[in-house]
Amino acid sequence: VQLQASGGGLVQPGGSLRLSCAASRITRDYYAVAWFRQAPGKEREGVSSISSSDASIYYADFVKGRFTISRDNAKNTVYLQMNSLKPEDTAVYYCAATVSSYSIPLKVFDFPSWGQGTQVTVSS
């Protein structure tokens, strides 16, 4: 599957953005999708994931209550709604997909398919 992330930008603290991950094919029966992020000088970290059946949704503690992941299979797109953004949310955000099982907390090596990343900058 080919993935393309979009929706990043510059936003003030407390603001919102919605990221989109468009895929060549993401069907409910096959693909779990995750969002990761990587800030300058830091390792890539897992942010959120949604299982192929939507039965399992995960959020890292640092985004719980602020971010919401969802999927629209008719549009082959997964979204990450980000509210109450903080400067520490500044990073390049990547979406990734897998047809296999994956660990929680999220691990980069569990996801073989990656999008190109979209920059999110939270600054006043």
Side-chain angles (χ1 to χ4, degrees), residues 32 36 96-114:
F36 289 79
T98 182
V99 296
S100 302
S101 60
Y102 54 97
S103 301
I104 295 296
L106 299 172
K107 302 292 190 296
V108 170
F109 56 75
D110 282 340
F111 294 84
S113 300
W114 289 80

Side-chain angles (χ1 to χ4, degrees), residues 10-16 83-90 121-124:
L10 172 64
V11 63
Q12 292 186 342
S16 298
N83 299 328
S84 303
L85 283 162
K86 305 174 181 180
E88 51 264 43
D89 293 319
T90 295
T121 302
V122 184
S123 175
S124 55

Side-chain angles (χ1 to χ4, degrees), residues 5-13 15-20 35-40 47 66-67 80-94 117-123:
S6 62
L10 172 64
V11 63
Q12 292 186 342
S16 298
L17 283 173
R18 188 177 77 160
L19 305 184
S20 298
W35 287 95
F36 289 79
R37 71 185 187 186
Q38 188 166 19
V47 175
R66 301 188 298 125
F67 291 12
L80 185 68
Q81 178 66 44
M82 306 188 298
N83 299 328
S84 303
L85 283 162
K86 305 174 181 180
E88 51 264 43
D89 293 319
T90 295
V92 177
Y93 283 71
Y94 300 88
T118 184
Q119 176 71 47
V120 172
T121 302
V122 184
S123 175

